[in-house]
Amino acid sequence: MSPSPVRALVAANLRRHSRDKVGLFFMVVMPFVTILFVGMALGGSGSGQDRIPIGVVARDSDPVATAVLRQLETSHDLAIERMDAEEQVRSGVRTGVLAAGLLIPPGSTDLELVMTQTNGSGMAARGMIDVAVGKVAAVLEAVRAAEAAGASPAEAEALVRKAQASSARVAVSTSGAAESSTPRGFAYTAPANVLLFTFVNSMAVAAALAESRRLGMIRRSLAGPVRERSVLLGEVLSRLIIAIVQACLIMVVSTLMFDVSWGDPLGVAAVVGSFCLVSTGAAVLVGSLVRSPSQAPAIGPPLGIVLGMLGGCLWPREVAGETLNMIGYLVPHGWGMDALITLTKPGKGLGSVLTEVAVLLGMAVLLLGISLVVFRRRMRTSN
Amino acid sequence: MTATLSCTGLSKRYGDILAVQDVGFFIEKGEAYGLLGPNGAGKTTAISMLVGLLQPDTGSVQVCGHDLAADPLAAKAKIGYVPQEIALYPDLTGRENLRFFGRLYGLPRRELAKRIDEVLDFVGLSDRADGKIDTYSGGMKRRINIGAALLHRPEVLILDEPTVGVDPQSRKAILDGVEQLVADGMSLLYTSHYMEEVERVCKRVGIIDHGKVIAEGTRKELVSTLGSADRVELVLDGDLDVATDKLRAVEGVTEAVRAGTSSIRLIVNEGSHLLPTLIAAVRGIAVVTAVEVIEPDLEAAFLHLTGNKLRD
């Protein structure tokens, strides 16, 4: 196959895409706006390993407050920030700077938890605060019980400390939770938006394929010394390059701007590469099926957003419920998200995501196969 | 002399409709051949088969000795195809569009740059080469459309209605250019609705109607099919439909068709002698306000052969 026609088609398509100002906005600006704002709402961390920020208003002289604070500070997952006023805490929670807040009134055991987020970091903060408060409450109850049994306050405290020391030997280990936990902040929104925007923008450029058909460019190309498969390859390759450029752009910029860690490069390349093939297949299919160029943007991007929702690109799938999670596995985004999140965890590499990559490649083969059959038929019938 | 382009027995059927039926003709090197036919006659279907865009049900096409079916790439490389619909990327410049087509035909980078400049000069658009196509006028688009087909120096240029919708200045530029190409030795297949263009550019003409080539020859040969017939145009005021029927019934009238809202065009034997009879035939139905007897031409031959005006 002569490379000239393929190169000619790719060069013309890429040049045309580079002149589409609206398309460039959605490719170059929109993904980062989304990553920034959604990432901040989800906790604003790039690695997914940062501590969850919690604001606390309490007096140092208050024994309950001291005990709760001491308990919270033992947690390696929490970053405790002491604040002077309730409004500071509420404002921090409202703006997303804090995952949650805790107000401890002096001399009272009636604590107030401040939170607005029902996402991963908010729920995690609440869980850890519950545990800490529960432990302090347990100690207070134990001291009261010892005193009721006739012990002096000093004896009661010694007994409780002894009980605590022995209970500390009882270790509760959690399995699976760490592996399945969803990263927070940019660590979540960056991979989510790689998949979302790669797919959505691939679907948007499907319009250009329909436009080439409408303009008669494909027909005229075939009147030259060009094989049908060269035209097919040129058109497919153009869309694949756009998908890869989109994915790479988001990954590079989010690494530099938001300090996102992606994990094993080989694994990431395999996942993102196979997802780009899926997006290309979908784009060529839509571009071949629609009758006019205006139909492609009306169908493609909304479809991309719906698939992104189902696949966990717009919000963590853990908040979506079991049924939606199951449906998410019917779309490529679900498999892509699982794979990219897995790769962010320590010690994970290509071997850990082989199933996801295989499923994505299977979807790509299926979509590309169908799209090429439809596209070829369109080329012939448009003659 | 060997034919640059020849076709024999070309047929194409769409369901019950036989769009092209046993079409065959040849074009010699440096010859301009015109294909005339009314809308729906099968011209575009025939051209689609000649450039390899459509598989014929029967028949074959030879281009410079290459069989189009057996060796399509070699055959297509010798053809320059100018489609009726302008096929250009509107958001690319004229130069970028030409570069695209040059690459499609595999022209090396340096040669391509040189050819683009030559072609832009030929079509008279060097000064607008770096403007986007969507800023061009209809005539300029047509000229670039032709230029795209010339980049690879084809042996035969196939032009399908190349002057549709262009201003007189661009039409003149296109026809001058086409004549220059033929003078330089390029073979040409030209289809047009404009009889005068075909008469001006083409040495031989094939008339296609209902999918068949019904006559072929030089202008002189085709006009001679009229015998001693003349073309007469009557301008009338009255019931033209009834008048047309009356005129058709006059002995010596071989064709009578309405031409516009106030004229009837006729093919008659011995036109000048028959005039009084014609005027008498429509008396009481319409008033003849003007009469013109035209020397037999290609349009008269076309009317005679097909029974239709070319632009019907």
Side-chain angles (χ1 to χ4, degrees):
Chain A
M1 189 187 309
S2 167
S4 281
V6 178
R7 276 208 306 260
L9 281 160
V10 169
N13 282 327
L14 294 184
R15 196 178 290 274
R16 295 185 68 209
H17 192 67
S18 73
R19 297 209 174 132
D20 177 6
K21 291 192 178 84
V22 176
L24 282 181
F25 174 80
F26 278 95
M27 195 169 172
V28 177
V29 179
M30 202 60 193
F32 304 110
V33 172
T34 310
I35 290 170
L36 181 67
F37 287 107
V38 180
M40 281 170 63
L42 289 179
S45 160
S47 64
Q49 309 299 321
D50 290 359
R51 291 174 165 205
I52 299 172
I54 294 178
V56 179
V57 175
R59 280 199 194 152
D60 286 334
S61 56
D62 185 68
V64 174
T66 307
V68 171
L69 277 170
R70 193 184 302 135
Q71 192 60 48
L72 287 173
E73 282 163 353
T74 60
S75 169
H76 296 296
D77 292 327
L78 296 178
I80 306 300
E81 193 175 341
R82 294 290 298 271
M83 293 179 162
D84 297 329
E86 279 184 33
E87 188 44 43
Q88 266 184 292
V89 171
R90 293 186 196 283
S91 166
V93 172
R94 213 168 32 241
T95 57
V97 174
L98 299 173
L102 185 63
L103 308 176
I104 309 174
S108 169
T109 53
D110 191 9
L111 313 186
E112 185 182 349
L113 180 67
V114 181
M115 61 180 283
T116 59
Q117 300 176 33
T118 52
N119 57 32
S121 56
M123 298 303 284
R126 180 186 181 147
M128 282 185 268
I129 290 170
D130 281 349
V131 168
V133 172
K135 279 186 178 174
V136 171
V139 169
L140 290 174
E141 284 299 315
V143 169
R144 279 197 201 111
E147 284 178 347
S152 66
E155 285 169 338
E157 193 179 333
L159 286 168
V160 169
R161 280 189 181 158
K162 195 177 169 187
Q164 273 186 315
S166 62
S167 71
R169 287 198 292 272
V170 180
V172 179
S173 65
T174 53
S175 63
E179 283 196 5
S180 64
S181 68
T182 303
R184 300 182 302 273
F186 303 132
Y188 183 85
T189 58
N193 282 288
V194 163
L195 303 183
L196 183 71
F197 278 93
T198 298
F199 197 87
V200 167
N201 281 327
S202 292
M203 299 298 263
V205 297
L209 184 59
E211 175 79 349
S212 291
R213 276 179 24 228
R214 187 189 67 81
L215 291 170
M217 294 305 286
I218 290 174
R219 178 180 157 87
R220 189 165 186 179
S221 300
L222 288 169
V226 180
R227 290 186 197 282
E228 201 176 73
R229 61 175 178 263
S230 296
V231 175
L232 284 172
L233 184 62
E235 293 293 346
V236 169
L237 210 53
S238 305
R239 274 79 209 168
L240 181 61
I241 289 171
I242 290 170
I244 290 171
V245 167
Q246 172 71 96
C248 289
L249 183 71
I250 296 176
M251 287 195 291
V252 170
V253 175
S254 57
T255 302
L256 297 175
M257 277 178 62
F258 307 119
D259 198 25
V260 173
S261 305
W262 292 89
D264 174 37
L266 193 62
V268 173
V271 173
V272 172
S274 50
F275 190 84
C276 286
L277 283 170
V278 175
S279 303
T280 302
V284 177
L285 184 59
V286 168
S288 305
L289 283 174
V290 295
R291 297 211 173 268
S292 76
S294 59
Q295 286 178 321
I299 296 169
L303 180 68
I305 289 170
V306 170
L307 297 185
M309 284 177 187
L310 294 172
C313 295
L314 271 72
W315 48 72
R317 283 170 59 198
E318 65 195 24
V319 303
E322 203 168 323
T323 309
L324 273 180
N325 275 342
M326 290 302 291
I327 295 171
Y329 284 111
L330 296 175
V331 303
H333 303 64
W335 294 94
M337 278 305 290
D338 272 8
L340 288 178
I341 287 170
T342 300
L343 287 168
T344 60
K345 298 184 193 316
K348 300 293 180 183
L350 177 60
S352 314
V353 293
L354 283 177
T355 305
E356 288 86 347
V357 171
V359 171
L360 286 173
L361 285 175
M363 288 179 171
V365 168
L366 187 68
L367 275 171
L368 280 168
I370 296 170
S371 65
L372 291 182
V373 168
V374 175
F375 185 44
R376 178 171 282 191
R377 191 171 294 170
R378 283 280 172 162
M379 279 200 304
R380 288 176 179 169
T381 53
S382 68
N383 290 343
Chain B
M1 193 178 278
T2 53
T4 306
L5 176 74
S6 66
C7 60
T8 50
L10 282 184
S11 296
K12 185 71 187 177
R13 178 182 286 279
Y14 295 108
D16 294 335
I17 299 164
L18 196 55
V20 169
Q21 190 179 348
D22 198 27
V23 164
F25 57 84
F26 67 92
I27 305 171
E28 291 176 351
K29 183 165 174 55
E31 184 187 26
Y33 184 92
L35 199 57
L36 281 175
N39 282 338
K43 295 190 302 289
T44 298
T45 303
I47 284 182
S48 294
M49 290 191 280
L50 291 173
V51 298
L53 286 173
L54 197 59
Q55 195 77 24
D57 294 337
T58 62
S60 67
V61 178
Q62 301 280 324
V63 186
C64 299
H66 301 285
D67 185 274
L68 185 62
D71 194 1
L73 297 193
K76 287 178 179 181
K78 303 287 182 189
I79 298 173
Y81 171 51
V82 182
Q84 184 175 344
E85 301 297 331
I86 291 166
L88 298 167
Y89 288 121
D91 42 5
L92 297 188
T93 66
R95 189 185 299 280
E96 287 165 346
N97 268 284
L98 293 180
R99 190 177 296 134
F100 166 72
F101 284 107
R103 282 178 175 170
L104 211 60
Y105 280 81
L107 265 65
R109 188 185 291 260
R110 277 189 189 168
E111 189 191 340
L112 177 58
K114 187 168 159 257
R115 278 299 290 157
I116 288 172
D117 287 338
E118 287 171 0
V119 165
L120 283 168
D121 186 46
F122 179 78
V123 297
L125 288 171
S126 297
D127 56 334
R128 291 296 307 273
D130 297 313
K132 283 189 191 172
I133 292 293
D134 56 12
T135 65
Y136 283 19
S137 69
M140 289 160 73
K141 286 177 188 169
R142 286 269 167 209
R143 279 142 71 187
I144 283 282
N145 205 34
I146 293 171
L150 296 173
L151 282 164
H152 62 293
R153 300 179 201 275
E155 295 288 329
V156 58
L157 184 64
I158 298 179
L159 296 121
D160 192 3
E161 306 272 4
T163 60
V164 168
V166 304
D167 57 280
Q169 192 184 356
S170 286
R171 174 176 293 172
K172 182 181 180 309
I174 289 169
L175 292 175
D176 288 349
V178 168
E179 282 184 320
Q180 180 62 49
L181 291 170
V182 176
D184 292 344
M186 189 178 284
S187 305
L188 194 79
L189 174 60
Y190 195 99
T191 77
S192 177
H193 268 100
Y194 300 105
M195 192 77 70
E196 63 276 16
E197 287 181 8
V198 176
E199 284 198 283
R200 176 178 159 181
V201 172
C202 302
K203 184 180 156 196
R204 281 194 308 130
V205 177
I207 293 178
I208 185 167
D209 197 25
H210 299 297
K212 292 171 83 171
V213 176
I214 55 172
E216 188 191 54
T218 61
R219 177 188 178 280
K220 197 175 169 185
E221 287 166 348
L222 289 172
V223 170
S224 71
T225 61
L226 292 167
S228 57
D230 291 318
R231 184 151 68 94
V232 174
E233 192 152 326
L234 299 180
V235 182
L236 304 105
D237 187 12
D239 190 338
L240 268 68
D241 288 331
V242 177
T244 305
D245 291 338
K246 284 278 182 190
L247 288 167
R248 211 173 272 143
V250 174
E251 193 177 345
V253 173
T254 55
E255 291 293 336
V257 292
R258 286 276 303 270
T261 53
S262 60
S263 296
I264 297 174
R265 198 166 288 169
L266 306 124
I267 303 296
V268 300
N269 295 320
E270 302 291 335
S272 49
H273 292 105
L274 203 61
L275 273 179
T277 315
L278 297 176
I279 293 166
V282 296
R283 191 167 294 142
I285 301 163
V287 177
V288 178
T289 56
V291 175
E292 190 180 8
V293 179
I294 304 159
E295 190 187 334
D297 60 4
L298 200 51
E299 187 156 2
F302 186 86
L303 189 64
H304 174 65
L305 289 163
T306 66
N308 292 306
K309 289 181 293 166
L310 187 57
R311 285 165 218 173
D312 277 353

